[in-house]
Amino acid sequence: MESARQEKLQKLKEQGLAYPYRFRVSHDIGEIKSRYEKPTEGRELCVRGSVKKVSRVEEGYLIRLVGDRGVEMLALTSEELRVGAECTLKGKLDRYEGKLCLMDALPCQEEALSPEEVKKEYDLDPGFEEVSLAGRLVTLRSMGKALFGHLQDATGKVQIYLRKDTVGEEALKSFEELVDTGDILGVEGRLFRTNAGELTVEVKSFTLLAKSLHPMPEKWHGVKDVEVRYRQRYLDLIANETARKVFLLRSKVVQSVREFLNAEGFLEVETPVLQHVASGANAKPFVTYHNYLEQNLFLRIAPELYLKRLVVGGFNRVYELGKNFRNEGVDTTHNPEFTMLEFYVAYWDYTDLMEFTERLLSHVVVSTVGSLKRSYKGREVDWTPPYRRYHYFELLQEKTGKEKEFFLKDLEGLRALARDLGVPKVETLTHAKLIDKVFERLVEEELWDPCFVTDFPKMLSPLAKTHRKDPELVERFELFVAGRELANAYTELNDPFEQRERFFQQLKEKEMGDEEAMQMDEDFITALEYGMPPTAGEGIGIDRLVMLLADVDSIREVILFPALRRS
C-alpha cells in the first residue's frame, strides 16, 4: 500500500466521506456508449482533410485529420504524414481510445467524405442528457482550471470533465487532493461531445466511493505477466480490455446455450457434485471425506449416470451446465475443474445428435460473435453446417496403412507404433489407452474445420451402445474443431447386462494400472433394469468452445480463477 494513499483515506474518514453506503447509477457506461455511438461494423470508406497533428504510437502513426469546418477525426497509418498536408485516406472505420478512427489507412484518389459527414452519422448528439455514472478512474490529467479523466466499468469507458465553474473551487481542490487513478468514483453531470468528438460527462458533482490503496498496474498499459493475470484476475480485468471481453463472451455463450436448449423443450436440472461412485467418464477423481456420513465421497467427474437416471424416470430431454472435477494434469486444454454441458434425449440415436449439434453450435456462434466464420490462431474456422464426417479407423488407416484389425488385435505391434510416435510410458498403457494415444498423435491436429469422427472401438467407450453393424465398435462420435476435441456423444447403452460386463472390464483396466478407468455403479445398473428408452447423449466442453470463439490458446484465459500452484 502507498502511504500517500493511506493518508488520503484517513482524511476521508475524518471528514466522514470514506466508503459511502450507496450511489445511484442511472446507466452502465456501455449502455450510454451504445446509445450515442453507432457501431462502425468495420465499414470501409475514404475521408479527406488536412493533417493537424501526427503522433507515434505502438500501432504506427496516429493522424488527426481536420475538415473544412474544423471537425476532427483520427486515422491510423503505417507511414508518417506531413503536418499541414491535404490528403485523402482510405481505411476501415473503427474506434480508437473512444474516438472514430480510420484503421490501416492508406492514401487514395477516390471520392471521399469529410470528417463532419462521418461523425454526423456515427457520433450521435447526446443533447446534454443528465446522467449518473460510476466506475474506476483509469486516467487523470490536469489542464489548469479543469481536469480530464476516464471512468471505466465492465461495459466500457467514458471521459469525464471537471472545471471550477461547474463543480466549484472547493470541490475541484478536494478532487485534486484526495482522488487518484484507481479510485472508484461516482459522478453526476450532463453528456456532451468534445471538439475531438469524444463522448464526455461534464461533472456537476462527484462522490469518492472507494479508495484504491495500491497504484494501478503498469500505468494502464495492461498486465502482461501471466502469473499476475491468473493469480490476481481482478487486476487483469481492471487493466486488460481483452480479458473483460473474453469473460463477457463466455457469459453470452452460456446464455445462448440455455436459450437454445430451453426453446427445444429441454429441462435444466442439477445432479450431485459429491457422489458415492466415481463413474460416467474415464478420469481420476478427487476424493473427500464426509464426517457425518463417515465415508469417502468423490467430486463428480461427470453427471452422465445421474442424467440417464432422469431419463429412466421419464424426463425425455434433460441437460445440465455445471462443473466437473478431474484429478489430472494442467495444460493449455485441461484444468482440474471445468464447465461441461451434458444433455440427453430419449428416442434418439447418435445420428440425430449430429444434426442437432450442428444447429446448436451454429446458433451459439452466430448469436455471440455474429458470423459462422471465425479466425482462430490466424486461420479461419468455418462453423457452417453440415460438418464433415469421418470414420475413426479410416482416419488411422490413412495415416498408417494399417486396417482396424491391427489396432484391435495386434497389441505388441500397436505398442511398437506408439513407441515410434514418441508416446510416453507405452509399456504401462492399456490396449485402449494405446489406441487413444496413437489417434491423438496421428490425426487430431489435422482436423481443423468442425467435423465428426464416428464409430469408435468398443474398448474405448464403456457407456456407448454396440454398433448395429459391427460388434467391435460403438455408436459414438467426437466433434473436433481446430485440432481439439470439443464434444463427445453416443447412442447410450441401455442393456443392464451388457453394461455390467462393461463395468467389469473397466475394473480389470483399473487393476492393470489405469487410474482413469470407471468404477462399478450398481445403482445405475438397477436403474437400467427398470428400463431406459433408446437414448442419445452428448457432452460439450464450454471452456474449449469459448477458447475457439475468443481466439485464445490456453484454457486459463477463459476460466476466471484457474488452478495454479501456490506462490
Side-chain angles (χ1 to χ4, degrees):
M1 289 187 289
E2 279 191 350
S3 58
R5 291 178 181 243
Q6 291 185 67
E7 290 171 4
K8 293 177 183 180
L9 177 61
Q10 185 58 39
K11 289 181 182 179
L12 288 166
K13 288 183 176 181
E14 291 169 359
Q15 298 172 24
L17 299 175
Y19 302 114
Y21 283 87
R22 69 188 300 272
F23 182 81
R24 186 189 65 84
V25 176
S26 63
H27 304 85
D28 289 336
I29 293 173
E31 181 185 350
I32 287 291
K33 301 276 279 190
S34 64
R35 183 183 300 179
Y36 295 113
E37 293 184 347
K38 181 180 174 182
T40 60
E41 298 176 340
R43 176 184 171 189
E44 191 170 77
L45 49 75
C46 296
V47 180
R48 66 177 182 274
S50 62
V51 178
K52 182 176 181 179
K53 185 178 179 180
V54 179
S55 304
R56 189 76 171 93
V57 294
E58 186 177 341
E59 301 90 339
Y61 294 93
L62 191 64
I63 311 298
R64 286 175 66 178
L65 283 180
V66 60
D68 296 337
R69 299 185 182 181
V71 177
E72 297 178 9
M73 183 176 165
L74 299 179
L76 194 61
T77 72
S78 58
E79 297 182 11
E80 186 175 7
L81 300 180
R82 180 174 55 85
V83 173
E86 296 288 331
C87 64
T88 300
L89 297 175
K90 183 177 184 178
K92 290 186 176 181
L93 192 63
D94 204 340
R95 294 189 184 272
Y96 183 89
E97 296 184 347
K99 304 179 186 74
L100 279 176
C101 181
L102 273 186
M103 309 299 288
D104 302 321
L106 295 171
C108 73
Q109 303 296 322
E110 301 175 31
E111 185 176 346
L113 300 171
S114 68
E116 182 184 34
E117 290 172 308
V118 177
K119 289 201 165 188
K120 186 176 181 180
E121 180 178 355
Y122 288 94
D123 282 351
L124 308 182
D125 183 4
F128 296 104
E129 178 186 353
E130 297 283 342
V131 295
S132 177
L133 306 178
R136 194 176 293 274
L137 185 66
V138 295
T139 68
L140 182 62
R141 66 188 189 277
S142 174
M143 304 289 286
K145 295 182 179 180
L147 296 171
F148 283 89
H150 284 89
L151 281 190
Q152 172 184 289
D153 65 12
T155 64
K157 184 166 63 175
V158 69
Q159 183 167 258
I160 60 172
Y161 168 56
L162 294 89
R163 62 190 180 100
K164 184 173 65 174
D165 293 349
T166 305
V167 298
E169 184 175 355
E170 186 176 339
L172 187 64
K173 182 180 178 182
S174 176
F175 191 101
E176 291 179 312
E177 290 179 350
L178 298 176
V179 177
D180 297 293
T181 56
D183 293 351
I184 297 177
L185 194 67
V187 299
E188 293 178 292
R190 59 181 191 165
L191 285 168
F192 74 103
R193 285 195 182 277
T194 63
N195 291 334
E198 187 167 3
L199 194 63
T200 304
V201 181
E202 182 185 36
V203 178
K204 293 181 178 180
S205 64
F206 66 88
T207 305
L208 185 56
L209 302 174
K211 187 74 186 168
S212 174
L213 300 178
H214 298 273
M216 290 297 100
E218 297 189 26
K219 297 182 181 180
W220 300 100
H221 293 304
V223 181
K224 306 297 183 184
D225 188 324
V226 294
E227 282 293 308
V228 174
R229 291 182 56 233
Y230 299 153
R231 292 184 188 280
Q232 295 176 278
R233 182 66 84 183
Y234 46 90
L235 291 181
D236 186 29
L237 295 173
I238 289 170
N240 295 335
E241 183 182 6
T242 300
R244 294 195 297 275
K245 287 182 176 180
V246 166
F247 291 105
L248 290 171
L249 173 63
R250 181 186 177 105
S251 179
K252 290 179 181 178
V253 167
V254 171
Q255 181 181 352
S256 180
V257 167
R258 281 197 166 101
E259 287 174 350
F260 184 87
L261 292 174
N262 292 344
E264 292 285 330
F266 281 78
L267 176 69
E268 183 173 10
V269 298
E270 295 175 303
T271 62
V273 171
L274 293 176
Q275 300 182 353
H276 295 281
V277 178
S279 203
N282 293 105
K284 184 179 179 181
F286 288 95
V287 185
T288 187
Y289 184 79
H290 194 289
N291 290 329
Y292 181 79
L293 297 178
E294 297 182 333
Q295 66 184 59
N296 284 336
L297 294 172
F298 303 96
L299 273 67
R300 73 171 177 205
I301 56 177
E304 177 168 342
L305 302 189
Y306 282 91
L307 290 172
K308 287 194 280 194
R309 285 172 169 92
L310 298 180
V311 177
V312 172
F315 289 141
N316 289 338
R317 294 191 175 198
V318 294
Y319 77 93
E320 183 169 11
L321 262 166
K323 292 282 190 180
N324 290 343
F325 307 85
R326 297 180 184 178
N327 199 350
E328 58 191 7
V330 175
D331 59 29
T332 57
T333 59
H334 294 87
N335 192 69
E337 59 175 301
F338 57 96
T339 302
M340 284 286 291
L341 163 69
E342 286 208 23
F343 58 92
Y344 293 81
V345 189
Y347 311 113
W348 281 13
D349 66 9
Y350 76 142
T351 61
D352 298 300
L353 281 181
M354 291 186 213
E355 183 272 337
F356 184 79
T357 301
E358 291 170 343
R359 290 199 294 118
L360 167 62
L361 291 178
S362 58
H363 167 82
V364 172
V365 172
V366 169
S367 66
T368 54
V369 299
S371 173
L372 287 172
K373 293 184 178 180
R374 185 75 171 168
S375 175
Y376 182 71
K377 297 173 70 174
R379 184 176 172 186
E380 184 180 86
V381 175
D382 188 352
W383 295 85
T384 306
Y387 303 156
R388 297 193 67 175
R389 303 182 184 190
Y390 300 101
H391 190 284
Y392 186 92
F393 281 110
E394 288 178 356
L395 290 173
L396 282 174
Q397 186 172 0
E398 286 180 12
K399 290 295 182 182
T400 65
K402 301 180 185 300
E403 296 184 350
K404 179 184 71 173
E405 284 67 26
F406 166 80
F407 295 96
L408 296 182
K409 308 297 183 185
D410 188 352
L411 179 57
E412 290 309 312
L414 177 61
R415 201 179 302 278
L417 174 60
R419 192 180 299 112
D420 293 341
L421 291 172
V423 175
K425 302 179 181 179
V426 293
E427 305 304 328
T428 65
L429 296 180
T430 63
H431 194 166
K433 284 288 186 183
L434 284 168
I435 296 177
D436 187 42
K437 293 296 183 183
V438 168
F439 185 87
E440 181 182 313
R441 289 292 177 106
L442 287 175
V443 177
E444 290 187 6
E445 286 189 3
E446 297 185 9
L447 303 175
W448 191 260
D449 279 333
C451 64
F452 298 112
V453 176
T454 69
D455 303 336
F456 280 60
K458 183 183 290 187
M459 66 177 68
L460 275 175
S461 315
L463 298 169
K465 195 158 188 162
T466 302
H467 199 285
R468 67 196 75 184
K469 294 181 180 179
D470 188 334
E472 293 180 317
L473 307 179
V474 291
E475 296 194 346
R476 171 185 173 186
F477 70 76
E478 286 187 356
L479 174 67
F480 286 89
V481 186
R484 292 170 177 163
E485 176 200 345
L486 178 61
N488 181 31
Y490 32 84
T491 307
E492 302 294 337
L493 177 56
N494 58 346
D495 179 340
F497 299 101
E498 185 176 354
Q499 184 63 80
R500 183 181 293 277
E501 289 302 315
R502 300 274 195 95
F503 277 144
F504 277 132
Q505 182 59 42
Q506 286 291 292
L507 294 178
K508 292 178 183 178
E509 300 277 334
K510 190 175 288 290
E511 290 173 0
M512 295 169 63
D514 185 356
E515 294 181 320
E516 297 183 348
M518 294 185 200
Q519 296 180 8
M520 173 75 73
D521 190 333
E522 290 285 357
D523 182 71
F524 173 65
I525 293 173
T526 300
L528 291 184
E529 290 173 352
Y530 280 93
M532 185 174 80
T535 299
E538 182 168 351
I540 298 177
I542 296 298
D543 307 299
R544 294 185 182 182
L545 177 57
V546 177
M547 287 172 62
L548 290 164
L549 299 183
D551 192 12
V552 296
D553 59 4
S554 172
I555 197 170
R556 294 182 179 186
E557 297 289 348
V558 301
I559 295 176
L560 280 167
F561 302 102
L564 301 166
R565 292 185 187 275
R566 286 189 176 183
S567 58

